Amino acid sequence: MGRNRLEAFSDGVIAIIITIMVLEMKVPHGEHLHALLPVLPVFLSYVMSFIYVGIYWNNHHNMLQASGKVNGAILWANLHLLFWLSLFPFVTSWMGENHFAVAPTELYGVVLFMAAVAYLILQSCIIAAGAPTLRRAIGRDWKGKASPALYFIGIVSAQWSPTAAKLVYLGLALLWLIPDRRIENLLIDSPER
Amino acid sequence: MGRNRLEAFSDGVIAIIITIMVLEMKVPHGEHLHALLPVLPVFLSYVMSFIYVGIYWNNHHNMLQASGKVNGAILWANLHLLFWLSLFPFVTSWMGENHFAVAPTELYGVVLFMAAVAYLILQSCIIAAGAPTLRRAIGRDWKGKASPALYFIGIVSAQWSPTAAKLVYLGLALLWLIPDRRIENLLIDSPER
Amino acid sequence: MGRNRLEAFSDGVIAIIITIMVLEMKVPHGEHLHALLPVLPVFLSYVMSFIYVGIYWNNHHNMLQASGKVNGAILWANLHLLFWLSLFPFVTSWMGENHFAVAPTELYGVVLFMAAVAYLILQSCIIAAGAPTLRRAIGRDWKGKASPALYFIGIVSAQWSPTAAKLVYLGLALLWLIPDRRIENLLIDSPER
Amino acid sequence: MGRNRLEAFSDGVIAIIITIMVLEMKVPHGEHLHALLPVLPVFLSYVMSFIYVGIYWNNHHNMLQASGKVNGAILWANLHLLFWLSLFPFVTSWMGENHFAVAPTELYGVVLFMAAVAYLILQSCIIAAGAPTLRRAIGRDWKGKASPALYFIGIVSAQWSPTAAKLVYLGLALLWLIPDRRIENLLIDSPER
């Protein structure tokens, strides 16, 4: 199993996830602009999920570029990550259709939390299989390790204020929107592949 | 992040967009030909959107072929373009199901407009990252710069006549249907890749 | 635009078409085997369409392997073929849900007919762009040229007997199921790519 | 038809299958956690099917990596396998929505059974086309040959206890979850590709 296969398959799955989310936006029946109003919260959830999936795609590839050989553990850790990403369309739609109510907002956070944990597991597997560039690049990895904790705070805060939870999710998205320069910088010196 | 990754991911997303649009054509319940009549406007919208997505796919690749290194700005400008393209199935279906009514025709134009703007932004990012071939190829780029303005005229004209708006959209599609020979010509002399 | 891009994009679209057709098989509500009965005609249509799309994928690649440079005409002829293939899920579902009634069976034939014509057009464009191997390989191409005529006979015969039309479609599928050895044979001597 | 084409197309189809299954989880209408209860069995079926499709993807590629030239028989044996895999979303959804009732659990087993048989057929075709590495790697292949028999036991046992059937399916999934080290070991000595 070469790294290219793993990248191509992950690319395919992530491309499908990011695109089918839009299918959850049910086409309204009226022909006037206000018919779009009920779709608006679903649209906003879609935008946030699009950004999140975009971030995962971006960082996933930076990470794989810095990886060495692919073994069985990496393969299943990767499928585990894709599993949680595949739940994005479902939770995005549930949250949007219920106008960011408590339970859907919490479940959205749970999927974000699990995806972040799955990402950390995949990262550990790649480092364990021998990827010194990645190890140096991530350093102490405060961003990766803090994320699950912050998602957890978001989930709990949704109990009192779904808006607070939303802000936590959005803040973390913005935090990750900044490309992982640590890996990028180290890769710049590598020979062109 | 190599250029190939970006191309492969964009290809995947665009292939999915162009294909799932057809899922919005709900299968009619009757078994006679006239049961297809309500599907006809959705079909016509589908044809127009298919052509538009085809054009974007074509020009997107000509542009990337003339690009140099991929950086974070290009990556997110590309995701931004894919975001607007991903709304095609939704607006295509809404316009078709409402028989080209005013508001849906306007919204369709808004997505065309935003996609054209996103394309220009992506083009600027690629040129800013250093792509002299692309810079020379597009020249003054009157077609790229005029498109958003013309979409805007289409959107406004829909207020009085959705048919006029449709003709503007169709005219622009035909204008872009002609492959971007400027880039193609310059690439012909490049070594086979 | 390299040939690889065209192949990869076509692969993506065809893979999506062949897979989303199954989404048209609505999950029955009952839990007993006889709840599957209404799904059976849709399933049978799905099997036939799966075989047809598989044939197109197979022959499409044999043809592209024997092609030379890709130009604008080939690109749009290819998109034109993909357009008709993208209508397979719709007509498959309509035919299946109406238990092979006259009009849906005819429309299914029309899409088969148009896809066969689109394939011939694409073939001409590739030969016109200079593909001597392909030209020699297809020879007089009686199979390619006879297909549209036979689909036409199937469409007309559906007026009297949808079963006859079905048999024509099935017979043509079997005829094409045999891989296009003409091209394969000529490619065997080519150097490994 | 190169092996890469076959891998890329199969990757695409499998990536779509594994992702669209989640579309069968209908978004609940209530906004409270207990609104998720009816979705739970569908979710559990989804998890099992995700693991199964992941296993097929993994083993499919190990097998193709050890294969030689691709001929028409391999191509159609591969499409035959993809056909049965494409039915996973349908049977997963039917089984989940009917809370693992007898008939849906049996049908799920039938699709697992047919996919396992299709896998064996594909394996035979590849070996027949000349793949000594694969032949040595699989050895007597007790796992591959026993699987259809065990699925059959699962299907029959569902008549008395769907739970027993489920346990058989789960047990076989776990058995296959262990990557096929036989092929992996033999490939390790091969030159990097």
Side-chain angles (χ1 to χ4, degrees):
Chain A
M1 174 74 57
R3 196 178 62 189
N4 288 347
R5 282 251 74 72
L6 197 70
E7 286 183 324
F9 184 73
S10 307
D11 266 5
V13 171
I14 295 175
I16 298 159
I17 290 169
I18 214 170
T19 321
I20 61 173
M21 277 193 297
V22 85
L23 287 181
E24 302 287 350
M25 289 208 298
K26 303 288 175 249
V27 176
H29 288 297
E31 68 176 60
H32 296 291
L33 266 185
H34 59 76
L36 287 180
L37 270 183
V39 184
L40 196 67
V42 183
F43 178 71
L44 292 178
S45 326
Y46 175 58
V47 173
M48 190 156 84
S49 295
F50 193 97
I51 294 172
Y52 261 114
V53 178
I55 291 167
Y56 270 104
W57 174 66
N58 185 4
N59 290 332
H60 183 264
H61 281 299
N62 277 338
M63 186 162 73
L64 278 184
Q65 281 208 332
S67 79
K69 253 203 140 15
V70 171
N71 59 24
I74 291 174
L75 185 117
W76 283 103
N78 189 59
L79 275 170
H80 178 235
L81 171 61
L82 293 179
F83 175 77
W84 291 107
L85 294 182
S86 82
L87 295 178
F88 266 70
F90 179 82
V91 292
T92 300
S93 178
W94 197 38
M95 185 170 71
E97 283 184 12
N98 290 289
H99 298 206
F100 301 94
V102 174
T105 304
E106 285 181 327
L107 192 71
Y108 189 86
V110 168
V111 169
L112 284 178
F113 174 84
M114 290 308 297
V117 169
Y119 189 85
L120 284 178
I121 292 174
L122 175 57
Q123 194 172 265
S124 307
C125 289
I126 291 175
I127 290 176
T133 316
L134 181 61
R135 182 176 222 132
R136 259 179 304 138
I138 60 164
R140 291 193 188 168
D141 193 25
W142 63 268
K143 207 159 75 168
K145 280 172 191 154
S147 290
L150 289 165
Y151 288 128
F152 186 73
I153 290 171
I155 297 166
V156 172
S157 71
Q159 201 65 39
W160 292 278
S161 158
T163 310
K166 252 183 301 178
L167 290 176
V168 171
Y169 303 159
L170 265 177
L172 272 158
L174 293 178
L175 185 71
W176 281 100
L177 208 57
I178 307 151
D180 220 324
R181 292 200 183 281
R182 299 167 299 176
I183 301 180
E184 225 170 79
N185 291 342
L186 282 166
L187 283 174
I188 277 166
D189 308 317
S190 315
E192 185 65 40
R193 282 163 325 119
Chain B
M1 173 77 55
R3 194 179 62 190
N4 288 345
R5 282 251 75 71
L6 197 70
E7 286 183 325
F9 184 73
S10 307
D11 267 5
V13 171
I14 295 174
I16 297 159
I17 290 169
I18 214 171
T19 319
I20 61 174
M21 278 194 296
V22 85
L23 287 180
E24 302 286 350
M25 289 207 299
K26 302 288 175 250
V27 176
H29 288 298
E31 68 175 61
H32 296 292
L33 267 184
H34 60 75
L36 287 180
L37 271 182
V39 184
L40 195 67
V42 183
F43 178 71
L44 292 178
S45 326
Y46 175 58
V47 172
M48 190 156 85
S49 295
F50 192 97
I51 294 171
Y52 262 113
V53 178
I55 290 167
Y56 270 105
W57 174 66
N58 186 3
N59 291 334
H60 182 265
H61 281 299
N62 278 338
M63 184 162 74
L64 278 184
Q65 281 209 331
S67 79
K69 253 200 140 16
V70 171
N71 58 23
I74 291 174
L75 186 116
W76 283 102
N78 189 59
L79 276 169
H80 179 235
L81 171 61
L82 293 179
F83 175 77
W84 290 107
L85 294 182
S86 81
L87 295 178
F88 266 70
F90 179 82
V91 291
T92 301
S93 178
W94 197 40
M95 185 171 71
E97 282 183 13
N98 290 289
H99 299 205
F100 301 94
V102 174
T105 303
E106 286 181 326
L107 192 71
Y108 189 86
V110 168
V111 169
L112 285 178
F113 174 83
M114 291 306 298
V117 169
Y119 189 85
L120 285 178
I121 293 174
L122 175 58
Q123 194 173 265
S124 308
C125 289
I126 290 174
I127 290 176
T133 316
L134 180 61
R135 183 176 222 132
R136 259 179 303 136
I138 60 163
R140 292 194 189 165
D141 193 26
W142 64 269
K143 208 159 75 169
K145 279 172 191 154
S147 290
L150 290 165
Y151 288 129
F152 186 73
I153 291 171
I155 296 165
V156 172
S157 70
Q159 201 65 40
W160 292 278
S161 159
T163 310
K166 252 182 303 178
L167 290 176
V168 171
Y169 302 159
L170 265 177
L172 271 159
L174 293 177
L175 185 71
W176 281 100
L177 209 57
I178 308 151
D180 220 322
R181 293 201 183 282
R182 300 168 298 176
I183 300 180
E184 225 169 80
N185 291 341
L186 281 167
L187 282 175
I188 277 166
D189 309 316
S190 315
E192 185 64 41
R193 279 159 330 118
Chain C
M1 174 75 57
R3 195 178 61 190
N4 288 347
R5 283 251 75 73
L6 198 69
E7 286 184 324
F9 184 73
S10 307
D11 267 5
V13 171
I14 295 176
I16 297 159
I17 290 169
I18 214 171
T19 320
I20 61 173
M21 278 193 296
V22 84
L23 286 180
E24 301 287 351
M25 290 208 297
K26 302 288 175 250
V27 176
H29 287 298
E31 68 175 61
H32 297 291
L33 267 185
H34 59 75
L36 287 179
L37 271 182
V39 184
L40 196 66
V42 183
F43 178 72
L44 291 178
S45 326
Y46 175 58
V47 173
M48 191 157 84
S49 296
F50 192 97
I51 293 171
Y52 261 114
V53 178
I55 290 167
Y56 270 104
W57 175 67
N58 185 4
N59 290 332
H60 183 264
H61 281 298
N62 277 337
M63 185 162 74
L64 278 184
Q65 280 209 331
S67 80
K69 254 202 141 12
V70 172
N71 59 23
I74 292 173
L75 186 116
W76 283 103
N78 189 59
L79 275 170
H80 179 234
L81 172 60
L82 292 179
F83 175 77
W84 290 106
L85 294 182
S86 82
L87 295 178
F88 266 70
F90 180 82
V91 292
T92 301
S93 178
W94 197 39
M95 185 171 71
E97 282 184 12
N98 291 288
H99 299 205
F100 300 94
V102 173
T105 304
E106 286 181 326
L107 191 72
Y108 189 85
V110 168
V111 169
L112 285 178
F113 174 83
M114 291 307 297
V117 169
Y119 189 85
L120 284 178
I121 293 173
L122 175 57
Q123 194 172 265
S124 308
C125 289
I126 291 174
I127 290 176
T133 316
L134 180 62
R135 182 174 222 134
R136 259 179 304 138
I138 60 164
R140 292 196 188 163
D141 194 26
W142 63 269
K143 208 159 75 168
K145 279 172 191 154
S147 290
L150 290 165
Y151 288 128
F152 186 73
I153 291 172
I155 297 166
V156 173
S157 70
Q159 202 66 40
W160 292 278
S161 158
T163 311
K166 251 182 304 176
L167 290 176
V168 171
Y169 302 158
L170 264 177
L172 272 158
L174 293 177
L175 185 71
W176 281 102
L177 208 57
I178 308 151
D180 220 322
R181 293 200 183 284
R182 300 167 299 175
I183 301 180
E184 225 169 79
N185 291 341
L186 282 166
L187 281 175
I188 277 166
D189 308 316
S190 315
E192 184 65 41
R193 285 165 324 120
Chain D
M1 174 75 56
R3 196 178 61 190
N4 288 347
R5 282 251 74 72
L6 197 70
E7 285 184 324
F9 183 73
S10 306
D11 267 6
V13 171
I14 295 175
I16 297 159
I17 290 170
I18 215 171
T19 321
I20 61 173
M21 278 193 296
V22 85
L23 287 180
E24 301 287 351
M25 289 207 298
K26 302 289 175 249
V27 176
H29 287 298
E31 68 176 61
H32 296 292
L33 267 184
H34 60 74
L36 287 180
L37 271 182
V39 184
L40 195 67
V42 183
F43 178 72
L44 291 178
S45 326
Y46 175 58
V47 172
M48 191 156 84
S49 295
F50 192 97
I51 293 172
Y52 261 113
V53 178
I55 290 167
Y56 270 104
W57 175 67
N58 185 3
N59 291 333
H60 183 264
H61 280 299
N62 277 338
M63 185 162 74
L64 278 184
Q65 280 209 331
S67 79
K69 253 203 139 18
V70 172
N71 59 24
I74 292 173
L75 186 116
W76 283 103
N78 189 58
L79 274 170
H80 178 235
L81 172 60
L82 293 180
F83 175 77
W84 291 107
L85 293 182
S86 82
L87 295 178
F88 266 71
F90 179 82
V91 292
T92 300
S93 179
W94 197 40
M95 185 171 72
E97 282 184 12
N98 290 288
H99 298 205
F100 301 95
V102 175
T105 304
E106 286 180 326
L107 192 72
Y108 189 85
V110 168
V111 170
L112 284 178
F113 174 83
M114 291 306 298
V117 169
Y119 189 84
L120 284 178
I121 293 174
L122 175 57
Q123 194 172 265
S124 307
C125 288
I126 291 175
I127 290 176
T133 316
L134 181 61
R135 184 176 220 132
R136 259 179 304 136
I138 59 164
R140 292 196 187 164
D141 193 26
W142 62 268
K143 209 159 74 168
K145 280 174 190 151
S147 290
L150 290 165
Y151 288 129
F152 186 73
I153 290 172
I155 297 166
V156 173
S157 71
Q159 202 65 40
W160 292 278
S161 159
T163 311
K166 251 183 303 177
L167 291 176
V168 171
Y169 303 159
L170 265 177
L172 273 159
L174 293 177
L175 185 71
W176 281 101
L177 208 57
I178 308 152
D180 220 322
R181 291 198 184 284
R182 300 168 299 176
I183 301 179
E184 225 170 80
N185 290 341
L186 282 166
L187 283 174
I188 277 166
D189 309 317
S190 316
E192 185 63 42
R193 284 165 323 120

